[in-house]
Amino acid sequence: MQNYEWASVDDAPVRELFPGISLRSLWTNGVASAHVLRMDPGSCWEGIDVHDPGPEEVYVVDGVFNDGIRDYPAGSFIHAPAGSSHVPQSEKGCTLFLFYPEG
């Protein structure tokens, strides 16, 4: 039998990060973590999101995500290396799966 860990997005507690931007934490092992981020239409991250100490992996589940420079439609994968930064926003709204392999 596998020692799988699993979580349902619907059961994960919701934490509002900024107006119109909410996070549901799905899993962590103390270092790496996985989350679902929902951005309402017209929402924008307050300040600059800096990827430290490690990279951020983003999969756009639905809607259109914008990193402050370009749009990424549903189905897009983004690797943001450690030390990179962006200003997350969404004109139309979106749902993102986020993975932080190094915290």
Side-chain angles (χ1 to χ4, degrees):
M1 181 78 185
Q2 304 283 335
N3 290 326
Y4 292 149
E5 293 182 44
W6 69 276
S8 168
V9 171
D10 294 333
D11 294 336
V14 178
R15 187 175 81 191
E16 186 175 48
L17 301 179
F18 302 106
I21 301 176
S22 60
L23 183 75
R24 291 180 182 254
S25 295
L26 300 175
W27 172 84
T28 184
N29 69 358
V31 178
S33 61
H35 313 270
V36 170
L37 184 88
R38 175 73 191 143
M39 301 183 76
D40 291 343
S43 61
C44 185
W45 198 267
E46 294 179 4
I48 298 172
D49 182 25
V50 179
H51 306 113
D52 184 43
E56 176 185 59
E57 312 293 346
V58 179
Y59 178 76
V60 182
V61 177
D62 67 27
V64 179
F65 171 70
N66 183 286
D67 63 3
I69 297 173
R70 64 170 293 200
D71 285 336
Y72 300 90
S76 298
F77 173 78
I78 307 151
H79 167 78
S84 66
S85 63
H86 61 169
V87 179
Q89 53 199 282
S90 183
E91 184 178 315
K92 297 179 180 183
C94 65
T95 302
L96 309 175
F97 175 75
L98 307 176
F99 182 67
Y100 299 95
E102 299 175 27

mmCIF file with all atom_site columns, all heavy atoms in Angstrom, residues 67-93:
data_model
loop_
_atom_site.group_PDB
_atom_site.id
_atom_site.type_symbol
_atom_site.label_atom_id
_atom_site.label_alt_id
_atom_site.label_comp_id
_atom_site.label_asym_id
_atom_site.label_entity_id
_atom_site.label_seq_id
_atom_site.pdbx_PDB_ins_code
_atom_site.Cartn_x
_atom_site.Cartn_y
_atom_site.Cartn_z
_atom_site.occupancy
_atom_site.B_iso_or_equiv
_atom_site.pdbx_formal_charge
_atom_site.auth_seq_id
_atom_site.auth_comp_id
_atom_site.auth_asym_id
_atom_site.auth_atom_id
_atom_site.pdbx_PDB_model_num
ATOM 1   N N   . ASP A 1 67 ? 1.449   38.128 -15.007 1.00 0.00 ? 67 ASP A N   1
ATOM 2   C CA  . ASP A 1 67 ? 2.558   38.301 -14.063 1.00 0.00 ? 67 ASP A CA  1
ATOM 3   C C   . ASP A 1 67 ? 3.051   39.744 -13.992 1.00 0.00 ? 67 ASP A C   1
ATOM 4   O O   . ASP A 1 67 ? 4.104   40.019 -13.429 1.00 0.00 ? 67 ASP A O   1
ATOM 5   C CB  . ASP A 1 67 ? 3.721   37.372 -14.408 1.00 0.00 ? 67 ASP A CB  1
ATOM 6   C CG  . ASP A 1 67 ? 4.339   37.657 -15.768 1.00 0.00 ? 67 ASP A CG  1
ATOM 7   O OD1 . ASP A 1 67 ? 3.920   38.608 -16.456 1.00 0.00 ? 67 ASP A OD1 1
ATOM 8   O OD2 . ASP A 1 67 ? 5.256   36.903 -16.160 1.00 0.00 ? 67 ASP A OD2 1
ATOM 9   N N   . GLY A 1 68 ? 2.283   40.663 -14.572 1.00 0.00 ? 68 GLY A N   1
ATOM 10  C CA  . GLY A 1 68 ? 2.691   42.057 -14.628 1.00 0.00 ? 68 GLY A CA  1
ATOM 11  C C   . GLY A 1 68 ? 3.309   42.414 -15.968 1.00 0.00 ? 68 GLY A C   1
ATOM 12  O O   . GLY A 1 68 ? 3.527   43.583 -16.268 1.00 0.00 ? 68 GLY A O   1
ATOM 13  N N   . ILE A 1 69 ? 3.590   41.384 -16.785 1.00 0.00 ? 69 ILE A N   1
ATOM 14  C CA  . ILE A 1 69 ? 4.187   41.596 -18.106 1.00 0.00 ? 69 ILE A CA  1
ATOM 15  C C   . ILE A 1 69 ? 3.338   40.972 -19.206 1.00 0.00 ? 69 ILE A C   1
ATOM 16  O O   . ILE A 1 69 ? 3.064   41.595 -20.208 1.00 0.00 ? 69 ILE A O   1
ATOM 17  C CB  . ILE A 1 69 ? 5.628   41.037 -18.166 1.00 0.00 ? 69 ILE A CB  1
ATOM 18  C CG1 . ILE A 1 69 ? 6.512   41.797 -17.172 1.00 0.00 ? 69 ILE A CG1 1
ATOM 19  C CG2 . ILE A 1 69 ? 6.187   41.125 -19.579 1.00 0.00 ? 69 ILE A CG2 1
ATOM 20  C CD1 . ILE A 1 69 ? 7.900   41.225 -17.026 1.00 0.00 ? 69 ILE A CD1 1
ATOM 21  N N   . ARG A 1 70 ? 2.924   39.722 -19.000 1.00 0.00 ? 70 ARG A N   1
ATOM 22  C CA  . ARG A 1 70 ? 2.173   39.036 -20.055 1.00 0.00 ? 70 ARG A CA  1
ATOM 23  C C   . ARG A 1 70 ? 1.080   38.177 -19.469 1.00 0.00 ? 70 ARG A C   1
ATOM 24  O O   . ARG A 1 70 ? 1.104   37.826 -18.294 1.00 0.00 ? 70 ARG A O   1
ATOM 25  C CB  . ARG A 1 70 ? 3.103   38.201 -20.930 1.00 0.00 ? 70 ARG A CB  1
ATOM 26  C CG  . ARG A 1 70 ? 3.774   37.065 -20.207 1.00 0.00 ? 70 ARG A CG  1
ATOM 27  C CD  . ARG A 1 70 ? 4.474   36.143 -21.141 1.00 0.00 ? 70 ARG A CD  1
ATOM 28  N NE  . ARG A 1 70 ? 3.463   35.468 -21.940 1.00 0.00 ? 70 ARG A NE  1
ATOM 29  C CZ  . ARG A 1 70 ? 3.671   34.343 -22.572 1.00 0.00 ? 70 ARG A CZ  1
ATOM 30  N NH1 . ARG A 1 70 ? 4.831   33.758 -22.548 1.00 0.00 ? 70 ARG A NH1 1
ATOM 31  N NH2 . ARG A 1 70 ? 2.711   33.777 -23.264 1.00 0.00 ? 70 ARG A NH2 1
ATOM 32  N N   . ASP A 1 71 ? 0.121   37.810 -20.324 1.00 0.00 ? 71 ASP A N   1
ATOM 33  C CA  . ASP A 1 71 ? -0.982  36.931 -19.951 1.00 0.00 ? 71 ASP A CA  1
ATOM 34  C C   . ASP A 1 71 ? -0.601  35.477 -20.168 1.00 0.00 ? 71 ASP A C   1
ATOM 35  O O   . ASP A 1 71 ? 0.092   35.143 -21.136 1.00 0.00 ? 71 ASP A O   1
ATOM 36  C CB  . ASP A 1 71 ? -2.223  37.227 -20.799 1.00 0.00 ? 71 ASP A CB  1
ATOM 37  C CG  . ASP A 1 71 ? -2.929  38.502 -20.397 1.00 0.00 ? 71 ASP A CG  1
ATOM 38  O OD1 . ASP A 1 71 ? -2.781  38.940 -19.231 1.00 0.00 ? 71 ASP A OD1 1
ATOM 39  O OD2 . ASP A 1 71 ? -3.644  39.068 -21.248 1.00 0.00 ? 71 ASP A OD2 1
ATOM 40  N N   . TYR A 1 72 ? -1.095  34.620 -19.282 1.00 0.00 ? 72 TYR A N   1
ATOM 41  C CA  . TYR A 1 72 ? -0.927  33.172 -19.387 1.00 0.00 ? 72 TYR A CA  1
ATOM 42  C C   . TYR A 1 72 ? -2.318  32.543 -19.299 1.00 0.00 ? 72 TYR A C   1
ATOM 43  O O   . TYR A 1 72 ? -2.940  32.571 -18.234 1.00 0.00 ? 72 TYR A O   1
ATOM 44  C CB  . TYR A 1 72 ? -0.056  32.632 -18.252 1.00 0.00 ? 72 TYR A CB  1
ATOM 45  C CG  . TYR A 1 72 ? 1.335   33.218 -18.229 1.00 0.00 ? 72 TYR A CG  1
ATOM 46  C CD1 . TYR A 1 72 ? 1.613   34.374 -17.497 1.00 0.00 ? 72 TYR A CD1 1
ATOM 47  C CD2 . TYR A 1 72 ? 2.371   32.611 -18.919 1.00 0.00 ? 72 TYR A CD2 1
ATOM 48  C CE1 . TYR A 1 72 ? 2.892   34.912 -17.465 1.00 0.00 ? 72 TYR A CE1 1
ATOM 49  C CE2 . TYR A 1 72 ? 3.658   33.147 -18.892 1.00 0.00 ? 72 TYR A CE2 1
ATOM 50  C CZ  . TYR A 1 72 ? 3.902   34.284 -18.162 1.00 0.00 ? 72 TYR A CZ  1
ATOM 51  O OH  . TYR A 1 72 ? 5.163   34.821 -18.130 1.00 0.00 ? 72 TYR A OH  1
ATOM 52  N N   . PRO A 1 73 ? -2.837  31.978 -20.381 1.00 0.00 ? 73 PRO A N   1
ATOM 53  C CA  . PRO A 1 73 ? -4.169  31.373 -20.350 1.00 0.00 ? 73 PRO A CA  1
ATOM 54  C C   . PRO A 1 73 ? -4.159  30.015 -19.653 1.00 0.00 ? 73 PRO A C   1
ATOM 55  O O   . PRO A 1 73 ? -3.089  29.434 -19.385 1.00 0.00 ? 73 PRO A O   1
ATOM 56  C CB  . PRO A 1 73 ? -4.506  31.232 -21.834 1.00 0.00 ? 73 PRO A CB  1
ATOM 57  C CG  . PRO A 1 73 ? -3.184  31.061 -22.503 1.00 0.00 ? 73 PRO A CG  1
ATOM 58  C CD  . PRO A 1 73 ? -2.222  31.914 -21.705 1.00 0.00 ? 73 PRO A CD  1
ATOM 59  N N   . ALA A 1 74 ? -5.349  29.511 -19.380 1.00 0.00 ? 74 ALA A N   1
ATOM 60  C CA  . ALA A 1 74 ? -5.493  28.179 -18.790 1.00 0.00 ? 74 ALA A CA  1
ATOM 61  C C   . ALA A 1 74 ? -4.659  27.173 -19.571 1.00 0.00 ? 74 ALA A C   1
ATOM 62  O O   . ALA A 1 74 ? -4.596  27.226 -20.799 1.00 0.00 ? 74 ALA A O   1
ATOM 63  C CB  . ALA A 1 74 ? -6.957  27.777 -18.789 1.00 0.00 ? 74 ALA A CB  1
ATOM 64  N N   . GLY A 1 75 ? -4.010  26.277 -18.846 1.00 0.00 ? 75 GLY A N   1
ATOM 65  C CA  . GLY A 1 75 ? -3.144  25.273 -19.463 1.00 0.00 ? 75 GLY A CA  1
ATOM 66  C C   . GLY A 1 75 ? -1.686  25.666 -19.492 1.00 0.00 ? 75 GLY A C   1
ATOM 67  O O   . GLY A 1 75 ? -0.835  24.852 -19.839 1.00 0.00 ? 75 GLY A O   1
ATOM 68  N N   . SER A 1 76 ? -1.366  26.903 -19.098 1.00 0.00 ? 76 SER A N   1
ATOM 69  C CA  . SER A 1 76 ? 0.030   27.373 -19.103 1.00 0.00 ? 76 SER A CA  1
ATOM 70  C C   . SER A 1 76 ? 0.770   26.889 -17.860 1.00 0.00 ? 76 SER A C   1
ATOM 71  O O   . SER A 1 76 ? 0.204   26.802 -16.771 1.00 0.00 ? 76 SER A O   1
ATOM 72  C CB  . SER A 1 76 ? 0.082   28.907 -19.111 1.00 0.00 ? 76 SER A CB  1
ATOM 73  O OG  . SER A 1 76 ? -0.510  29.434 -20.273 1.00 0.00 ? 76 SER A OG  1
ATOM 74  N N   . PHE A 1 77 ? 2.055   26.594 -18.034 1.00 0.00 ? 77 PHE A N   1
ATOM 75  C CA  . PHE A 1 77 ? 2.953   26.269 -16.916 1.00 0.00 ? 77 PHE A CA  1
ATOM 76  C C   . PHE A 1 77 ? 4.039   27.334 -16.879 1.00 0.00 ? 77 PHE A C   1
ATOM 77  O O   . PHE A 1 77 ? 4.594   27.695 -17.917 1.00 0.00 ? 77 PHE A O   1
ATOM 78  C CB  . PHE A 1 77 ? 3.595   24.892 -17.103 1.00 0.00 ? 77 PHE A CB  1
ATOM 79  C CG  . PHE A 1 77 ? 4.654   24.612 -16.062 1.00 0.00 ? 77 PHE A CG  1
ATOM 80  C CD1 . PHE A 1 77 ? 4.302   24.224 -14.784 1.00 0.00 ? 77 PHE A CD1 1
ATOM 81  C CD2 . PHE A 1 77 ? 6.001   24.772 -16.360 1.00 0.00 ? 77 PHE A CD2 1
ATOM 82  C CE1 . PHE A 1 77 ? 5.269   23.986 -13.823 1.00 0.00 ? 77 PHE A CE1 1
ATOM 83  C CE2 . PHE A 1 77 ? 6.972   24.531 -15.411 1.00 0.00 ? 77 PHE A CE2 1
ATOM 84  C CZ  . PHE A 1 77 ? 6.606   24.141 -14.137 1.00 0.00 ? 77 PHE A CZ  1
ATOM 85  N N   . ILE A 1 78 ? 4.325   27.823 -15.681 1.00 0.00 ? 78 ILE A N   1
ATOM 86  C CA  . ILE A 1 78 ? 5.347   28.857 -15.498 1.00 0.00 ? 78 ILE A CA  1
ATOM 87  C C   . ILE A 1 78 ? 6.332   28.385 -14.440 1.00 0.00 ? 78 ILE A C   1
ATOM 88  O O   . ILE A 1 78 ? 5.923   27.989 -13.346 1.00 0.00 ? 78 ILE A O   1
ATOM 89  C CB  . ILE A 1 78 ? 4.713   30.189 -15.033 1.00 0.00 ? 78 ILE A CB  1
ATOM 90  C CG1 . ILE A 1 78 ? 3.596   30.607 -15.978 1.00 0.00 ? 78 ILE A CG1 1
ATOM 91  C CG2 . ILE A 1 78 ? 5.765   31.275 -14.893 1.00 0.00 ? 78 ILE A CG2 1
ATOM 92  C CD1 . ILE A 1 78 ? 2.516   31.417 -15.312 1.00 0.00 ? 78 ILE A CD1 1
ATOM 93  N N   . HIS A 1 79 ? 7.611   28.433 -14.757 1.00 0.00 ? 79 HIS A N   1
ATOM 94  C CA  . HIS A 1 79 ? 8.672   28.179 -13.768 1.00 0.00 ? 79 HIS A CA  1
ATOM 95  C C   . HIS A 1 79 ? 9.304   29.531 -13.452 1.00 0.00 ? 79 HIS A C   1
ATOM 96  O O   . HIS A 1 79 ? 9.863   30.177 -14.339 1.00 0.00 ? 79 HIS A O   1
ATOM 97  C CB  . HIS A 1 79 ? 9.726   27.224 -14.306 1.00 0.00 ? 79 HIS A CB  1
ATOM 98  C CG  . HIS A 1 79 ? 10.959  27.189 -13.460 1.00 0.00 ? 79 HIS A CG  1
ATOM 99  N ND1 . HIS A 1 79 ? 11.020  26.496 -12.269 1.00 0.00 ? 79 HIS A ND1 1
ATOM 100 C CD2 . HIS A 1 79 ? 12.151  27.784 -13.611 1.00 0.00 ? 79 HIS A CD2 1
ATOM 101 C CE1 . HIS A 1 79 ? 12.222  26.674 -11.729 1.00 0.00 ? 79 HIS A CE1 1
ATOM 102 N NE2 . HIS A 1 79 ? 12.932  27.454 -12.529 1.00 0.00 ? 79 HIS A NE2 1
ATOM 103 N N   . ALA A 1 80 ? 9.184   29.957 -12.194 1.00 0.00 ? 80 ALA A N   1
ATOM 104 C CA  . ALA A 1 80 ? 9.794   31.211 -11.751 1.00 0.00 ? 80 ALA A CA  1
ATOM 105 C C   . ALA A 1 80 ? 10.985  30.851 -10.863 1.00 0.00 ? 80 ALA A C   1
ATOM 106 O O   . ALA A 1 80 ? 10.812  30.362 -9.758  1.00 0.00 ? 80 ALA A O   1
ATOM 107 C CB  . ALA A 1 80 ? 8.786   32.047 -10.976 1.00 0.00 ? 80 ALA A CB  1
ATOM 108 N N   . PRO A 1 81 ? 12.218  31.035 -11.347 1.00 0.00 ? 81 PRO A N   1
ATOM 109 C CA  . PRO A 1 81 ? 13.396  30.618 -10.585 1.00 0.00 ? 81 PRO A CA  1
ATOM 110 C C   . PRO A 1 81 ? 13.565  31.416 -9.297  1.00 0.00 ? 81 PRO A C   1
ATOM 111 O O   . PRO A 1 81 ? 13.043  32.528 -9.158  1.00 0.00 ? 81 PRO A O   1
ATOM 112 C CB  . PRO A 1 81 ? 14.556  30.875 -11.547 1.00 0.00 ? 81 PRO A CB  1
ATOM 113 C CG  . PRO A 1 81 ? 14.048  31.775 -12.600 1.00 0.00 ? 81 PRO A CG  1
ATOM 114 C CD  . PRO A 1 81 ? 12.566  31.649 -12.632 1.00 0.00 ? 81 PRO A CD  1
ATOM 115 N N   . ALA A 1 82 ? 14.313  30.847 -8.376  1.00 0.00 ? 82 ALA A N   1
ATOM 116 C CA  . ALA A 1 82 ? 14.626  31.531 -7.117  1.00 0.00 ? 82 ALA A CA  1
ATOM 117 C C   . ALA A 1 82 ? 15.229  32.893 -7.418  1.00 0.00 ? 82 ALA A C   1
ATOM 118 O O   . ALA A 1 82 ? 16.038  33.035 -8.334  1.00 0.00 ? 82 ALA A O   1
ATOM 119 C CB  . ALA A 1 82 ? 15.595  30.691 -6.290  1.00 0.00 ? 82 ALA A CB  1
ATOM 120 N N   . GLY A 1 83 ? 14.769  33.905 -6.685  1.00 0.00 ? 83 GLY A N   1
ATOM 121 C CA  . GLY A 1 83 ? 15.277  35.256 -6.864  1.00 0.00 ? 83 GLY A CA  1
ATOM 122 C C   . GLY A 1 83 ? 14.506  36.080 -7.880  1.00 0.00 ? 83 GLY A C   1
ATOM 123 O O   . GLY A 1 83 ? 14.679  37.287 -7.947  1.00 0.00 ? 83 GLY A O   1
ATOM 124 N N   . SER A 1 84 ? 13.641  35.426 -8.680  1.00 0.00 ? 84 SER A N   1
ATOM 125 C CA  . SER A 1 84 ? 12.835  36.175 -9.639  1.00 0.00 ? 84 SER A CA  1
ATOM 126 C C   . SER A 1 84 ? 11.646  36.813 -8.920  1.00 0.00 ? 84 SER A C   1
ATOM 127 O O   . SER A 1 84 ? 11.352  36.491 -7.768  1.00 0.00 ? 84 SER A O   1
ATOM 128 C CB  . SER A 1 84 ? 12.357  35.265 -10.770 1.00 0.00 ? 84 SER A CB  1
ATOM 129 O OG  . SER A 1 84 ? 11.464  34.280 -10.282 1.00 0.00 ? 84 SER A OG  1
ATOM 130 N N   . SER A 1 85 ? 10.967  37.716 -9.608  1.00 0.00 ? 85 SER A N   1
ATOM 131 C CA  . SER A 1 85 ? 9.817   38.378 -8.995  1.00 0.00 ? 85 SER A CA  1
ATOM 132 C C   . SER A 1 85 ? 8.804   38.770 -10.054 1.00 0.00 ? 85 SER A C   1
ATOM 133 O O   . SER A 1 85 ? 9.121   38.825 -11.248 1.00 0.00 ? 85 SER A O   1
ATOM 134 C CB  . SER A 1 85 ? 10.269  39.611 -8.224  1.00 0.00 ? 85 SER A CB  1
ATOM 135 O OG  . SER A 1 85 ? 10.844  40.564 -9.092  1.00 0.00 ? 85 SER A OG  1
ATOM 136 N N   . HIS A 1 86 ? 7.598   39.042 -9.597  1.00 0.00 ? 86 HIS A N   1
ATOM 137 C CA  . HIS A 1 86 ? 6.532   39.492 -10.490 1.00 0.00 ? 86 HIS A CA  1
ATOM 138 C C   . HIS A 1 86 ? 5.427   40.130 -9.651  1.00 0.00 ? 86 HIS A C   1
ATOM 139 O O   . HIS A 1 86 ? 5.484   40.110 -8.422  1.00 0.00 ? 86 HIS A O   1
ATOM 140 C CB  . HIS A 1 86 ? 6.000   38.354 -11.365 1.00 0.00 ? 86 HIS A CB  1
ATOM 141 C CG  . HIS A 1 86 ? 5.398   37.218 -10.607 1.00 0.00 ? 86 HIS A CG  1
ATOM 142 N ND1 . HIS A 1 86 ? 4.678   36.227 -11.224 1.00 0.00 ? 86 HIS A ND1 1
ATOM 143 C CD2 . HIS A 1 86 ? 5.385   36.902 -9.304  1.00 0.00 ? 86 HIS A CD2 1
ATOM 144 C CE1 . HIS A 1 86 ? 4.260   35.353 -10.326 1.00 0.00 ? 86 HIS A CE1 1
ATOM 145 N NE2 . HIS A 1 86 ? 4.680   35.740 -9.154  1.00 0.00 ? 86 HIS A NE2 1
ATOM 146 N N   . VAL A 1 87 ? 4.436   40.713 -10.336 1.00 0.00 ? 87 VAL A N   1
ATOM 147 C CA  . VAL A 1 87 ? 3.272   41.283 -9.666  1.00 0.00 ? 87 VAL A CA  1
ATOM 148 C C   . VAL A 1 87 ? 2.049   40.513 -10.173 1.00 0.00 ? 87 VAL A C   1
ATOM 149 O O   . VAL A 1 87 ? 1.493   40.842 -11.224 1.00 0.00 ? 87 VAL A O   1
ATOM 150 C CB  . VAL A 1 87 ? 3.135   42.798 -9.950  1.00 0.00 ? 87 VAL A CB  1
ATOM 151 C CG1 . VAL A 1 87 ? 1.908   43.353 -9.253  1.00 0.00 ? 87 VAL A CG1 1
ATOM 152 C CG2 . VAL A 1 87 ? 4.390   43.541 -9.513  1.00 0.00 ? 87 VAL A CG2 1
ATOM 153 N N   . PRO A 1 88 ? 1.631   39.449 -9.458  1.00 0.00 ? 88 PRO A N   1
ATOM 154 C CA  . PRO A 1 88 ? 0.494   38.651 -9.899  1.00 0.00 ? 88 PRO A CA  1
ATOM 155 C C   . PRO A 1 88 ? -0.784  39.482 -9.983  1.00 0.00 ? 88 PRO A C   1
ATOM 156 O O   . PRO A 1 88 ? -1.080  40.282 -9.091  1.00 0.00 ? 88 PRO A O   1
ATOM 157 C CB  . PRO A 1 88 ? 0.361   37.586 -8.815  1.00 0.00 ? 88 PRO A CB  1
ATOM 158 C CG  . PRO A 1 88 ? 1.728   37.508 -8.191  1.00 0.00 ? 88 PRO A CG  1
ATOM 159 C CD  . PRO A 1 88 ? 2.243   38.910 -8.244  1.00 0.00 ? 88 PRO A CD  1
ATOM 160 N N   . GLN A 1 89 ? -1.536  39.244 -11.060 1.00 0.00 ? 89 GLN A N   1
ATOM 161 C CA  . GLN A 1 89 ? -2.797  39.951 -11.263 1.00 0.00 ? 89 GLN A CA  1
ATOM 162 C C   . GLN A 1 89 ? -3.624  39.188 -12.275 1.00 0.00 ? 89 GLN A C   1
ATOM 163 O O   . GLN A 1 89 ? -3.109  38.321 -12.985 1.00 0.00 ? 89 GLN A O   1
ATOM 164 C CB  . GLN A 1 89 ? -2.543  41.378 -11.738 1.00 0.00 ? 89 GLN A CB  1
ATOM 165 C CG  . GLN A 1 89 ? -1.655  41.483 -12.957 1.00 0.00 ? 89 GLN A CG  1
ATOM 166 C CD  . GLN A 1 89 ? -1.068  42.869 -13.104 1.00 0.00 ? 89 GLN A CD  1
ATOM 167 O OE1 . GLN A 1 89 ? -1.769  43.748 -13.557 1.00 0.00 ? 89 GLN A OE1 1
ATOM 168 N NE2 . GLN A 1 89 ? 0.191   43.048 -12.739 1.00 0.00 ? 89 GLN A NE2 1
ATOM 169 N N   . SER A 1 90 ? -4.916  39.514 -12.311 1.00 0.00 ? 90 SER A N   1
ATOM 170 C CA  . SER A 1 90 ? -5.783  38.864 -13.286 1.00 0.00 ? 90 SER A CA  1
ATOM 171 C C   . SER A 1 90 ? -6.963  39.768 -13.613 1.00 0.00 ? 90 SER A C   1
ATOM 172 O O   . SER A 1 90 ? -7.760  40.091 -12.734 1.00 0.00 ? 90 SER A O   1
ATOM 173 C CB  . SER A 1 90 ? -6.285  37.522 -12.765 1.00 0.00 ? 90 SER A CB  1
ATOM 174 O OG  . SER A 1 90 ? -7.067  36.884 -13.748 1.00 0.00 ? 90 SER A OG  1
ATOM 175 N N   . GLU A 1 91 ? -7.045  40.166 -14.858 1.00 0.00 ? 91 GLU A N   1
ATOM 176 C CA  . GLU A 1 91 ? -8.156  41.009 -15.306 1.00 0.00 ? 91 GLU A CA  1
ATOM 177 C C   . GLU A 1 91 ? -9.458  40.216 -15.354 1.00 0.00 ? 91 GLU A C   1
ATOM 178 O O   . GLU A 1 91 ? -10.520 40.711 -14.990 1.00 0.00 ? 91 GLU A O   1
ATOM 179 C CB  . GLU A 1 91 ? -7.848  41.575 -16.691 1.00 0.00 ? 91 GLU A CB  1
ATOM 180 C CG  . GLU A 1 91 ? -8.896  42.530 -17.210 1.00 0.00 ? 91 GLU A CG  1
ATOM 181 C CD  . GLU A 1 91 ? -8.521  43.109 -18.553 1.00 0.00 ? 91 GLU A CD  1
ATOM 182 O OE1 . GLU A 1 91 ? -7.359  43.520 -18.736 1.00 0.00 ? 91 GLU A OE1 1
ATOM 183 O OE2 . GLU A 1 91 ? -9.409  43.137 -19.423 1.00 0.00 ? 91 GLU A OE2 1
ATOM 184 N N   . LYS A 1 92 ? -9.367  38.947 -15.781 1.00 0.00 ? 92 LYS A N   1
ATOM 185 C CA  . LYS A 1 92 ? -10.562 38.117 -15.949 1.00 0.00 ? 92 LYS A CA  1
ATOM 186 C C   . LYS A 1 92 ? -10.799 37.155 -14.797 1.00 0.00 ? 92 LYS A C   1
ATOM 187 O O   . LYS A 1 92 ? -11.830 36.494 -14.753 1.00 0.00 ? 92 LYS A O   1
ATOM 188 C CB  . LYS A 1 92 ? -10.456 37.324 -17.252 1.00 0.00 ? 92 LYS A CB  1
ATOM 189 C CG  . LYS A 1 92 ? -10.397 38.212 -18.484 1.00 0.00 ? 92 LYS A CG  1
ATOM 190 C CD  . LYS A 1 92 ? -10.276 37.408 -19.739 1.00 0.00 ? 92 LYS A CD  1
ATOM 191 C CE  . LYS A 1 92 ? -10.211 38.335 -20.940 1.00 0.00 ? 92 LYS A CE  1
ATOM 192 N NZ  . LYS A 1 92 ? -10.164 37.610 -22.195 1.00 0.00 ? 92 LYS A NZ  1
ATOM 193 N N   . GLY A 1 93 ? -9.827  37.022 -13.883 1.00 0.00 ? 93 GLY A N   1
ATOM 194 C CA  . GLY A 1 93 ? -9.903  36.039 -12.807 1.00 0.00 ? 93 GLY A CA  1
ATOM 195 C C   . GLY A 1 93 ? -9.213  34.752 -13.224 1.00 0.00 ? 93 GLY A C   1
ATOM 196 O O   . GLY A 1 93 ? -9.107  34.447 -14.421 1.00 0.00 ? 93 GLY A O   1
#
